[in-house]
Amino acid sequence: MIKRKVVLRFPASVVEYPFIYTLAKEYNVVANILKANINPRKEGRMVVELSADDKDFDAAMDFLQSRGVIVLPLEQQVNWLEDRCTQCGACTVICPTEALWMKRPEMTVSFNGEKCVVCEHCLKACPARAVEALYLSGE
Amino acid sequence: MQLRSYAEINEKISKGQVVVVTAEEVLGLVEEHGVEETARRVDVVTTGTFGPMCSSGAFLNLGHPAPRMKMARVYLNGVNAYAGLAAVDVFLGATEIPAADPANQNFPGAFNYGGAHVIEDLVAGREVLLEATAYPTDCYPRQKLETWIKLDEINEAYLYNPRNCYQNYNVAVNLSDRTIYTYMGILKANLGNANYCSAGQLSPLLKDPYYRVTGIGTRLFLGGGTGYVAWYGTQHNPAAARGENGVPRMGAGTLALIGDLKQMKAKWLRGVSYLGYGVSLQVGVGVPIPVLDVETLRYAAVRDEEIFAQVVDYSEAYPQRIAGSLGEVSYAELKSGTIVIQGREVPTAPLSSYPKAKEIAEILKSWILRGEFTLTEPVSKLPSADSGIKLNPLKVQK
């Protein structure tokens, strides 16, 4: 079983094709669409979580690429907005990996991106909304 | 024995000779020189706090359009402001949420925007959408209005906060087996975390526990501008249990504060959202303590180790108003990062920012040193421990 978040880029020529339906029907792929849009040049971009058996997953990837769809790995990143942070500390007991942590005895909040696992619990735990999640596609 | 008067302190301020230290700096001085010597040397101790204070809001006079309008229902960026006052006067409460907000229908609600955010937007100089309706009268014929307003274009705008600067507060924990969402933040199941909310040794009323020098009319730092103590705050409870050092061991005194919104800064008035609970306003307050005598300084020199708070279960005891505490911990323990409750180590988090409280105490100190801020003698005392005032619960009779 493979479960992976990817970014799909659709050229204008295929943007009207029902890919998600085909993935489900022909390849038994479960697609959870996280974000999707079509730009004015009619090119599509979709952030999607795909899960399927290994064999089905590989076949699905081959199918997408054969139709001209570019499949890119998704990288997620949490950004701590220091300017918006009010240094309260509410996030520090919610963060499971101590990526958001408190320097003592100064009691200042800091963020260590290397420890962050992008669970996104902090996004709603921060009263000042000083954390944001970014989806990067490595484009 | 009195060491100095308000007039003498203000004269020193005008001559640039005043000695001011923050409530944190005073601790080092007392350690080095003792209480009496420090009291002789220091004229003013500045305190500070920056935390969520829900009982806050702003009175606004929006000005009359042509033709004139009574403005019976008023919305600012979709948030209802109370308009049951004279025409075009409104009160915008910090915790009000837009009528269209789903609140906790999709639990836990996000509460991304509310009255507190409108106040922050106004203070930041941003345009705010004003929508108003009214029934027509001969003097106020207009029935509908939609326009943009800015803080510097409306008439009076002043913050009036009925309950700020709580003198001490509960430490909130969760004994149940599910996560709960409270005004004390997210509390994880089975004593997953303990949240507290006080600046401890920097907090204004913890450094003047019997309100000897903080009273009605006291000038202070409010939201980045100057404000005043208007009255004692709602739920002011000076009779709460105190330690031998006079410091309340639970929520006790409170202050009602007033100040000109147009002087304030968005940095010190921040709209905040508590998941599953609602909107609040993070307010910065700094109160100067004039060292009138040795006693004043002795109280102002109390440390985190000597200030205690009660640990309260917010899954059952608090909501059901069941009295009792799971124990008592000091602010020094709370700030260490873990406390022990029922034999278990529990991680702690503050909701009130200690570094920002320190920054406020520093700013107030610099205002006084530069001669921009003088001290006021209270025109009337706040009710203290001997006043007989106590907190009344509501009897439900039906």
Side-chain angles (χ1 to χ4, degrees), chain B residues 45-126:
Chain B
V45 176
T46 57
T47 63
T49 185
F50 186 59
M53 304 189 197
C54 289
S55 208
S56 298
F59 281 101
L60 310 171
N61 179 279
L62 300 164
H64 268 286
R68 289 178 190 274
M69 185 179 184
K70 203 165 182 299
M71 294 199 194
R73 293 277 177 273
V74 171
Y75 295 89
L76 295 167
N77 279 356
V79 179
N80 183 235
Y82 180 72
L85 301 162
V88 308
D89 271 354
V90 297
F91 182 76
L92 174 63
T95 67
E96 188 74 33
I97 56 170
D101 192 296
N104 262 341
Q105 285 173 47
N106 183 11
F107 190 79
F111 302 99
N112 285 317
Y113 197 84
H117 298 89
V118 179
I119 292 172
E120 182 187 331
D121 281 341
L122 282 169
V123 172
R126 291 190 272 267

Side-chain angles (χ1 to χ4, degrees), chain B residues 195-364:
Chain B
N195 286 6
Y196 65 98
C197 191
S198 171
Q201 63 190 13
L202 274 171
S203 183
L205 290 182
L206 288 174
K207 314 264 31 194
D208 181 20
Y210 290 108
Y211 333 111
R212 294 171 75 246
V213 293
T214 310
I216 293 161
T218 293
R219 184 182 292 135
L220 40 78
F221 172 110
L222 178 59
T226 52
Y228 297 87
V229 175
W231 201 248
Y232 52 96
T234 52
Q235 294 185 21
H236 182 68
N237 184 25
R242 291 168 187 264
E244 276 175 26
N245 56 7
V247 177
R249 288 148 62 195
M250 55 185 68
T254 66
L255 298 175
L257 303 180
I258 190 166
D260 181 8
L261 200 62
K262 294 190 182 190
Q263 291 178 30
M264 296 186 193
K265 295 183 173 59
K267 179 179 178 183
W268 301 116
L269 284 179
R270 290 286 303 274
V272 283
S273 310
Y274 288 92
L275 188 65
Y277 176 71
V279 167
S280 188
L281 185 67
Q282 213 164 8
V283 183
V285 184
V287 184
I289 294 179
V291 184
L292 302 179
D293 51 22
V294 174
E295 207 61 8
T296 315
L297 193 104
R298 195 187 311 281
Y299 287 124
V302 70
R303 304 172 162 274
D304 282 335
E305 291 82 351
E306 305 161 294
I307 307 172
F308 294 88
Q310 305 302 314
V311 180
V312 175
D313 169 38
Y314 272 62
S315 70
E316 176 76 16
Y318 184 84
Q320 299 305 327
R321 222 187 74 206
I322 299 163
S325 153
L326 300 170
E328 197 173 75
V329 289
S330 76
Y331 280 92
E333 291 171 89
L334 287 164
K335 281 184 189 163
S336 76
T338 47
I339 56 172
V340 176
I341 308 166
Q342 298 184 337
R344 282 183 49 190
E345 279 208 350
V346 180
T348 61
L351 300 175
S352 172
S353 170
Y354 190 81
K356 296 282 180 191
K358 199 165 139 179
E359 199 179 331
I360 288 168
E362 293 283 356
I363 293 171
L364 182 56

Side-chain angles (χ1 to χ4, degrees), chain B residues 1 4 25 28 51 89 91 99 125 140 147 155 163 198 205 217 224 255 260 350 361 366 369 372 386:
Chain B
M1 192 190 73
R4 51 184 78 78
E25 289 166 340
D89 271 354
F91 182 76
Y140 295 128
T147 186
N155 295 313
R163 190 194 324 146
S198 171
L205 290 182
L255 298 175
D260 181 8
S366 72
L369 289 175
E372 294 165 5
D386 55 4

Side-chain angles (χ1 to χ4, degrees), chain A residues 52-95:
Chain A
D53 286 341
D54 297 20
K55 229 176 90 189
D56 287 336
F57 193 91
D58 291 343
M61 291 301 112
D62 290 344
F63 157 70
L64 288 172
Q65 279 156 11
S66 71
R67 292 296 183 110
V69 178
I70 299 165
V71 185
L72 297 162
L74 175 74
E75 287 174 32
Q76 268 175 296
Q77 189 184 310
V78 162
N79 255 13
W80 174 57
L81 310 171
E82 193 171 358
D83 286 351
R84 279 202 65 78
C85 174
T86 63
Q87 298 283 332
C88 79
C91 59
T92 59
V93 276
I94 300 302
C95 177

Side-chain angles (χ1 to χ4, degrees), chain A residues 90 93-95 121 124-125, chain B residues 104 107-109 172-195 274-277 313-316 319:
Chain A
V93 276
I94 300 302
C95 177
H121 288 344
K124 285 181 171 175
Chain B
N104 262 341
F107 190 79
V173 296
N174 174 10
L175 292 180
S176 79
D177 57 8
R178 66 171 185 102
T179 299
I180 61 171
Y181 302 88
T182 73
Y183 67 80
M184 291 297 284
I186 302 170
L187 300 174
K188 294 189 278 186
N190 304 313
L191 290 171
N193 57 306
N195 286 6
Y274 288 92
L275 188 65
Y277 176 71
D313 169 38
Y314 272 62
S315 70
E316 176 76 16

Side-chain angles (χ1 to χ4, degrees), chain B residues 5-7 10 213 215-219 290 292 374-380:
Chain B
S5 66
Y6 284 90
N10 285 337
V213 293
I216 293 161
T218 293
R219 184 182 292 135
L292 302 179
T374 55
L375 272 57
T376 51
E377 185 169 357
V379 292
S380 187

